[in-house]
Amino acid sequence: MTVKACHISVQDVDGRWHQLGAGALRGVWPESIELVSDEGGPKTATFELHREPEVAWPDLGAYAPMEAHVGGRLRWTGRIIDAPTRSAERVISVQAEGWQAHLDDDLYERIYVHTR
């Protein structure tokens, strides 16, 4: 069985996309990547990043857009929801949810009309 390369890209607050481990983010690599999808599309994603957790990373902010390319093809899209750190190990555990969760963001009030 061949394992295809998985590349994670994140969008910063300026709207620019950055691939983890390349360019400005060289030396930052994701490990233990787990991408989950269901019939509604991308559902959840988790991975660990090895980089300095004490530094503020604008690309890991709440609801920052994220993409995962597997074998050079876009396979998962969503947004980062949490990125807790383990300072002793210099690891950031990133959790993301797929864009199908965006449908739960819009709250609405159910109104019932009763007439005689």
Side-chain angles (χ1 to χ4, degrees):
M1 179 171 103
T2 56
V3 177
K4 295 185 178 184
C6 181
H7 301 284
I8 306 287
S9 298
V10 291
Q11 189 177 30
D12 65 14
V13 293
D14 294 330
R16 292 178 298 210
W17 286 91
H18 301 281
Q19 180 179 330
L20 299 176
L25 297 178
R26 187 173 302 123
V28 176
W29 65 94
E31 285 183 346
S32 305
I33 301 169
E34 184 176 328
L35 307 172
V36 178
S37 296
D38 61 12
E39 60 275 352
K43 187 172 183 174
T44 61
T46 58
F47 58 93
E48 294 182 342
L49 281 180
H50 294 270
R51 64 182 185 186
E52 195 61 46
E54 287 84 23
V55 177
W57 298 94
D59 56 336
L60 293 180
Y63 302 109
M66 183 192 112
E67 294 180 344
H69 293 78
V70 179
R73 299 183 69 185
L74 180 63
R75 295 294 184 189
W76 197 96
T77 60
R79 60 187 179 186
I80 294 172
I81 56 171
D82 198 13
T85 62
R86 296 193 311 258
S87 298
E89 301 170 20
R90 298 180 62 155
V91 171
I92 302 172
S93 299
V94 179
Q95 289 122 29
E97 60 187 6
W99 285 123
Q100 63 177 309
H102 182 62
L103 299 172
D104 298 333
D105 293 345
D106 299 327
L107 300 177
Y108 64 94
E109 182 179 345
R110 292 184 180 181
I111 300 174
Y112 297 94
V113 178
H114 178 71
T115 60
R116 293 183 181 202

